[in-house]
Amino acid sequence: MKHLTFIACLFITSVCFAANHAPKFKPQTIDDTVEIGYGTAIGDVDGDGKPDILLADKKEFVWYQNPTWKRHVIAENLTERDNVCIAARDIDGDGKVEIAGGGQWNPGDTLNSGAVFYLEPPKDRTQLWNPIKLPNQPVVHRMRWAKLGKNRFALVVSPLHGKGNKKGEGAGVKLIAYEKPTNPKDKWKQTVIEDTLHVTHNLDPAQWNPHTEAEEILYAGREGAMLISFDQGQWKKERFPVIEGSGEIRMGRLTPSSQFITTIEPLHGDKLVLYQSGTKPTEISGRQVLDENIKAGHAIATADLSRNGRQEIVAGWRSPNKDQKVGIKVYWSTDASGKNWKSAWIDENGMACEDIRLGDLNGDGKIDIVAAGRNSHNLKIYWNQSE
């Protein structure tokens, strides 16, 4: 009995220790010549079983080959203006990602800007890929591959503004799902799945409802956030009534049955905010500000970094805050209720963060962090060193 008591006490002590100590990371710069680094992705490009890193830079879409991080150009000079986003996911089950990119970035032109490309791979994926231009709305800003069902995916593309908008007023933003045909040069099926918001900023595929095969889409903008789902061949949407205008949105879990949404508010805002779920699909039990000393917040992500069953939040911003600092922080709950949180720096003043992605890059079972910075001109891996 004493032996069992000792084991129980040791377990409780270790859980408390994990709850009160930040995950540890070791930074590695893999590119210090980044021009804008506006969009990132993680996925296996060459089919060797190792996740690679992808980047939408000013005039190039590139990938960095794991484990040497050798840089390969996917496509270059596709548009007159900057690239802005990239999406990568294995949608056909061959072990290699399909890639799409967005460019011709000009937020001031709500009529003629924007471009969407599917990038068709050559046999040797280290060589240049063939760009296939798809129809697009103006001011293309973010894109992600989302799962609609078994062996069915869509490229979901979000512009920043509605067509012809001026100062966020006018037509709604058309969020479009593109479905890839067998031959990518053929016509892609396009479906407008949302068009009521007027200034949007980001979206994220998420398994908000754990009982569906399809992923839902968390979608955020100046006017709030919504949950978009694909069910029985139909797109459905429902507003989160409590979530305020925001620029970034992600889902996380405190326990298998307790999930949350985290946002950066307002758009390009100064607050990291937590919303815990209620009992109904879009019910939120409360709003909690975790940090109000960020500036031009532009990236958030969630994952179980400490491997304790409770997901942390990683947030990055690109302009100096009240303390004249940019960077990336990690935030973690000290208990399963999610009422008490702590934070720690991952990168203090070394990353003017534009985008963040999470993934296990070296197969050690720990989630690592990838971030890109425009003003800091760098792309970094933060290797998870947590015990």
Side-chain angles (χ1 to χ4, degrees), residues 194-355:
E194 211 302 298
D195 63 357
T196 63
L197 301 180
H198 295 83
V199 181
T200 68
H201 197 263
N202 218 328
L203 72 157
D204 194 51
Q207 204 72 50
W208 184 256
N209 182 348
H211 305 297
T212 62
E213 187 171 26
E215 294 170 334
E216 291 93 2
I217 298 168
L218 296 174
Y219 190 40
R222 190 182 66 182
E223 297 152 288
M226 62 176 62
L227 181 71
I228 301 172
S229 59
F230 185 78
D231 183 36
Q232 298 181 351
Q234 299 293 322
W235 288 96
K236 301 176 181 179
K237 59 187 179 182
E238 190 171 359
R239 292 287 289 266
F240 288 101
V242 177
I243 297 180
E244 299 184 8
S246 50
E248 307 298 326
I249 186 167
R250 293 292 185 272
M251 171 191 160
R253 292 190 183 277
L254 293 170
T255 68
S257 60
S258 175
Q259 55 203 34
F260 64 84
I261 288 175
T262 182
T263 61
I264 289 179
E265 299 176 5
L267 192 149
H268 291 171
D270 59 355
K271 296 179 180 65
L272 178 69
V273 182
L274 177 81
Y275 297 91
Q276 292 200 50
S277 63
T279 57
K280 297 178 181 179
T282 54
E283 185 178 70
I284 299 296
S285 63
R287 179 177 184 269
Q288 183 178 354
V289 177
L290 301 183
D291 195 342
E292 48 189 348
N293 189 21
I294 63 179
K295 189 172 182 181
H298 212 260
I300 49 176
T302 61
D304 184 1
L305 303 173
S306 300
R307 299 189 296 175
N308 63 0
R310 191 179 303 155
Q311 292 191 346
E312 292 89 356
I313 301 169
V314 180
W317 63 96
R318 62 188 187 182
S319 296
N321 65 5
K322 298 171 187 175
D323 302 318
Q324 298 303 303
K325 293 180 179 180
V326 298
I328 301 172
K329 276 190 169 184
V330 60
Y331 304 78
W332 69 98
S333 176
T334 59
D335 55 64
S337 72
K339 300 298 183 184
N340 301 295
W341 289 73
K342 290 188 174 183
S343 67
W345 285 101
I346 292 175
D347 193 323
E348 185 176 3
N349 263 347
M351 172 61 65
C353 188
E354 292 287 341
D355 200 21

Side-chain angles (χ1 to χ4, degrees), residues 69-120:
W69 309 115
K70 182 178 180 180
R71 186 179 188 273
H72 303 284
V73 177
I74 300 169
E76 57 188 348
N77 300 318
L78 298 185
T79 59
E80 179 185 357
R81 300 182 70 92
D82 295 349
N83 298 323
V84 67
C85 54
I86 189 168
R89 188 168 184 174
D90 178 10
I91 67 171
D92 59 11
D94 68 350
K96 293 175 280 191
V97 294
E98 280 66 46
I99 302 173
Q104 193 61 8
W105 172 241
N106 183 1
D109 179 359
T110 61
L111 290 173
N112 301 305
S113 66
V116 175
F117 296 93
Y118 175 74
L119 301 171
E120 185 180 33

